[in-house]
Amino acid sequence: MCGIVAYTGYRNAYPVILKGLKRLEYRGYDSAGVALLNGSLQVYKKQGKVNDLEEKLHELALHGHTGIGHTRWATHGEPNDVNAHPHFSSNNTIVLIHNGIIENYAVIKEDLLNKGYSFRSETDSEVLATFIEDIYTHTKTNLEEATRLALQKVVGAYAIVVMAVEEPGTLVAARKGSPLVIGIGKDEYFVASDATPIIEYTNEVVYLDDHEIAVIKDKTLSIRNLDSISKRPYIHKLDLELEAIEKGGFEHFMLKEIFEQPKSVADSMRGRIKASTGTLQLGGLTEYFNRLLSADRMVFVACGTSWHAGLVAEYLFEELARIPVEVEYASEFRYRNPIIRENDVVIAISQSGETADTLAAIELAKSKGAIIFGICNSVGSSIPRATHAGAYIHAGPEIGVASTKAFTGQITVLTMMALLIAYRKGTISERTYRKILVELELIPSKIAEALKLNEQIKYIADEFKDARNFLYLGRGYNFPVALEGALKLKEISYIHAEGYPAAEMKHGPIALIDEEMPVVVIATDDSSYEKIVSNIQEVKARKGKVIAIVTEGDTLIKKMADFVIEIPKTHEALVPLISVIPLQLLSYHIAVLRGCNVDQPRNLAKSVTVE
């Protein structure tokens, strides 16, 4: 859960690394640092944001054509200048940046202490740097071999880049359970946690696999595994534009990504559906589609917002395709002994494709013989490579830590999956199938309509920006949306919020309701409308403040709620794609009004690549 950037080539490394760190700051933010190799190793690091590091160094003339940089999300040791990366080895001849956790660092550190080494920081990363130094010194080998031998003894997860003062122009990078991508330019190379720092310079990249070591030396790239077996690099062409990772005039990435949803949802469907001819296809599922049709049960594994998308999918698959579904937190699934049967299908959902718990859940399910499908946004990431088949959501880069367009993209693809399976199985009629297809094609325009409510929602946000608690209620398809709305508010405004099925309010949460408690009720016109009206009356009877999300033209709830937000009508199964939009905007505006850092909320990182 950090950002890694490295460069070697003909450019001055510092400006390249600094710009890259700014683009990766969403991955880690409590400290930042750079190391440059220019005759000697020079390390500069600072607690705080990348801007704090830049301010510290702005008067220095920093030179060197090889360097590494890092933004940290603390695991071992509190955020401060000493624990910030890069980390020197004990004798300052080797420097390292690291994402992940070295689980056996204490044993290695004790051995190194007994050999007379000393340590400056509290981190496991410095231990690894000194461990490499120890091997490098005593075996008289090169940096690649010392790193390989060290990693053979390491237990845990890592993405690392290492430099040595005695090997100018050389970068050694390795990964296990944490992403690394290598950009290939003309007489220059880039290493990063993802492609966002690279796309400005090249669209040719190599994604490292687990247990692989990349060595950039003498203007060449070589890749080996930990057993020193060579591998021919496979070069991918990035389908990513620089504009996609810029703010484009918006104040925050989160707001930009909220407003991108008409396009991102359309992109999720592009080339896959054509309602006029009743066409729906998902090419990535073709090879294993019969397994989907014959599945006795589906198990969705995910974390955070992706877990909420899985909950929406539970309603979709059970209602349309009549397949039993269980939705599991990947972090719990991986540590149980779950029952996976022969005809079960496991579907993993992740925006980043690098979520550590979800990857571990995939490996566990695979070990039990399951067929695994992946729903992912990041092309070339670990989850698509670990699964048997799947579908990309094609939402485009999501930089804001709080997921927005990835959520609607995931639901769009999951809806198409459920609809296609249901149609092929015959669990829905031709008429229903075509009706939902038509409505699905209209969703981008209806999201655009919902986004026009932005100013109204900003006004409501101002009314409730000082609230200490929020309650979110929904029924059926809108229950997971209530959970997602509460999560968004917690993530970026730091207001305590809880989501509940509306009927469960009477079983405990109703005790919290008074005139100080805002209650967001998703009360669209669907099969549970009358029941949700009763829930609103129960809230009002206890003086709760009701913010209602209703279907356009509603008159009954308008008379009851304190604030009403009207969204376009659609098929009940597709409502989450629209009803979530006002909740994203509400959380965004409340957070901004409270002065919170919307794109980089405290204690959070975009991609959780450690346990």
Side-chain angles (χ1 to χ4, degrees):
M1 288 168 60
C2 71
I4 282 175
V5 184
Y7 174 81
T8 185
Y10 60 86
R11 304 174 199 262
N12 188 14
Y14 173 67
V16 175
I17 293 169
L18 186 70
K19 186 181 290 185
L21 291 180
K22 288 180 178 180
R23 289 189 175 144
L24 287 178
E25 196 167 14
Y26 68 93
R27 299 182 65 99
Y29 54 83
D30 57 48
S31 59
V34 296
L36 300 171
L37 182 52
N38 185 20
S40 62
L41 285 173
Q42 305 152 14
V43 173
Y44 310 92
K45 46 191 186 175
K46 176 71 176 171
Q47 180 184 352
K49 304 292 184 183
V50 176
N51 283 342
D52 296 320
L53 175 70
E54 183 179 22
E55 178 65 23
K56 176 181 178 179
L57 303 181
H58 81 281
E59 292 184 355
L60 299 180
L62 301 178
H63 297 289
H65 296 291
T66 302
I68 59 179
H70 188 272
T71 59
R72 181 175 186 247
W73 187 90
T75 51
H76 288 76
E78 67 182 44
N80 58 36
D81 290 356
V82 175
N83 289 330
H85 295 223
H87 283 289
F88 272 125
S89 63
S90 183
N91 67 3
N92 294 352
T93 60
I94 290 172
V95 68
L96 168 147
I97 50 179
H98 168 224
N99 179 17
I101 294 176
I102 306 302
E103 294 175 11
N104 62 337
Y105 85 99
V107 174
I108 297 171
K109 185 174 184 178
E110 183 67 25
D111 181 59
L112 293 170
L113 287 169
N114 290 336
K115 291 180 177 180
Y117 291 99
S118 60
F119 296 90
R120 308 169 182 88
S121 76
E122 304 167 80
T123 68
D124 55 338
S125 307
E126 185 189 3
V127 173
L128 180 55
T130 299
F131 188 32
I132 294 171
E133 176 204 308
D134 181 60
I135 296 171
Y136 190 77
T137 302
H138 289 93
T139 62
K140 305 297 183 183
T141 188
N142 59 24
L143 183 62
E144 174 192 0
E145 182 65 6
T147 302
R148 186 182 72 84
L149 292 172
L151 293 179
Q152 286 183 332
K153 304 292 186 182
V154 160
V155 177
Y158 55 80
I160 62 170
V161 185
V162 194
M163 296 192 305
V165 69
E166 294 179 8
E167 299 186 30
T170 298
L171 293 175
V172 175
R175 70 156 283 180
K176 177 191 173 188
S178 196
L180 272 184
V181 57
I182 299 169
I184 303 172
K186 184 174 175 57
D187 296 328
E188 60 182 348
Y189 290 88
F190 309 81
V191 185
S193 297
D194 63 41
T196 53
I198 293 172
I199 190 60
E200 181 174 349
Y201 307 100
T202 180
N203 67 346
E204 294 189 344
V205 300
V206 173
Y207 294 98
L208 278 191
D209 287 326
D210 279 353
H211 309 291
E212 289 185 345
I213 299 177
V215 181
I216 301 165
K217 184 177 183 180
D218 300 327
K219 298 182 181 180
T220 61
L221 168 67
S222 62
I223 297 178
R224 303 177 186 273
N225 64 19
L226 291 186
D227 294 323
S228 202
I229 298 172
S230 295
K231 175 186 174 182
R232 184 177 179 179
Y234 178 78
I235 299 175
H236 298 255
K237 293 281 188 179
L238 287 175
D239 183 19
L240 178 64
E241 299 295 332
L242 183 60
E243 291 80 6
I245 59 172
E246 303 290 350
K247 289 182 182 176
F250 286 89
E251 185 178 355
H252 298 98
F253 280 111
M254 182 181 178
L255 187 62
K256 175 184 180 240
E257 288 155 9
I258 290 172
F259 273 83
E260 283 178 338
Q261 286 173 109
K263 181 181 184 299
S264 61
V265 168
D267 288 344
S268 295
M269 293 187 283
R270 193 178 309 282
R272 289 168 164 172
I273 73 169
K274 189 174 181 181
S276 61
T277 59
T279 304
L280 173 56
Q281 58 185 12
L282 291 166
L285 306 182
T286 302
E287 183 179 355
Y288 291 91
F289 194 75
N290 286 337
R291 288 297 300 267
L292 290 169
L293 288 177
S294 63
D296 292 333
R297 180 182 65 147
M298 289 186 173
V299 180
F300 289 87
V301 292
C303 301
T305 287
S306 296
W307 186 78
H308 295 156
L311 288 179
V312 175
E314 181 177 16
Y315 286 91
L316 288 164
F317 279 80
E318 292 193 345
E319 175 72 22
L320 300 177
R322 307 306 297 153
I323 300 173
V325 171
E326 292 182 20
V327 185
E328 297 266 8
Y329 282 114
S331 55
E332 289 297 311
F333 181 87
R334 63 177 293 194
Y335 288 114
R336 293 205 336 264
N337 185 18
I339 299 171
I340 302 293
R341 297 180 290 249
E342 183 179 350
N343 280 338
D344 290 343
V345 168
V346 174
I347 299 179
I349 312 171
S350 170
Q351 189 286 132
S352 68
E354 302 292 350
T355 310
D357 285 322
T358 306
L359 280 164
I362 288 170
E363 293 308 315
L364 175 60
K366 274 174 136 179
S367 73
K368 295 178 177 292
I371 292 294
I372 319 291
F373 289 82
I375 306 297
C376 186
N377 191 34
S378 299
V379 176
S381 56
S382 296
I383 285 177
R385 288 183 283 159
T387 51
H388 295 97
Y392 287 113
I393 67 173
H394 297 304
E398 189 177 67
I399 306 299
V401 167
S403 183
T404 52
K405 65 177 181 176
F407 178 70
T408 49
Q410 288 166 348
I411 293 176
T412 301
V413 169
L414 290 163
T415 300
M416 290 189 289
M417 281 183 67
L419 192 57
L420 185 58
I421 294 168
Y423 181 61
R424 296 278 183 89
K425 287 182 67 176
T427 53
I428 57 172
S429 67
E430 177 86 20
R431 182 173 179 273
T432 300
Y433 169 71
R434 286 182 174 268
K435 180 180 179 182
I436 297 176
L437 270 186
V438 169
E439 280 297 317
L440 195 53
E441 275 196 338
L442 293 173
I443 287 295
S445 64
K446 293 184 177 183
I447 292 175
E449 286 298 310
L451 289 168
K452 293 178 181 178
L453 302 167
N454 185 47
E455 288 303 315
Q456 178 196 354
I457 294 168
K458 187 174 181 180
Y459 169 79
I460 296 171
D462 191 54
E463 292 288 312
F464 293 101
K465 67 180 185 298
D466 297 320
R468 298 181 63 187
N469 301 282
F470 262 77
L471 190 62
Y472 286 71
L473 303 176
R475 282 180 178 262
Y477 286 99
N478 280 320
F479 160 51
V481 178
L483 294 177
E484 176 62 11
L487 176 62
K488 283 292 150 292
L489 191 70
K490 283 184 280 194
E491 283 181 313
I492 62 171
S493 76
Y494 319 138
I495 295 174
H496 175 255
E498 295 296 335
Y500 275 91
E504 286 297 302
M505 179 183 64
K506 296 188 290 292
H507 298 276
I510 199 167
L512 299 172
I513 294 175
D514 58 21
E515 61 272 14
E516 300 296 322
M517 173 67 82
V519 181
V520 178
V521 185
I522 310 169
T524 51
D525 185 11
D526 55 31
S527 57
S528 59
Y529 180 78
E530 292 181 2
K531 298 294 185 182
I532 205 93
V533 168
S534 297
N535 297 135
I536 292 173
Q537 289 172 330
E538 291 162 354
V539 173
K540 292 305 296 177
R542 288 154 182 84
K543 300 182 180 179
K545 301 293 186 184
V546 173
I547 305 166
I549 313 297
V550 303
T551 304
E552 204 168 30
D554 185 287
T555 56
L556 179 57
I557 293 176
K558 271 188 176 179
K559 299 174 184 177
M560 302 163 54
D562 298 274
F563 299 90
V564 172
I565 300 169
E566 296 185 59
I567 61 173
K569 185 175 181 62
T570 189
H571 189 281
E572 183 173 355
L574 307 181
V575 167
L577 289 165
I578 305 174
S579 61
V580 74
I581 303 299
L583 305 187
Q584 293 172 348
L585 288 169
L586 182 66
S587 62
Y588 170 80
H589 287 300
I590 287 175
V592 170
L593 290 166
R594 288 167 65 90
C596 300
N597 188 333
V598 172
D599 286 335
Q600 297 165 19
R602 68 188 184 202
N603 301 333
L604 294 178
K606 183 66 176 173
S607 178
V608 184
T609 58
V610 296
E611 293 185 48

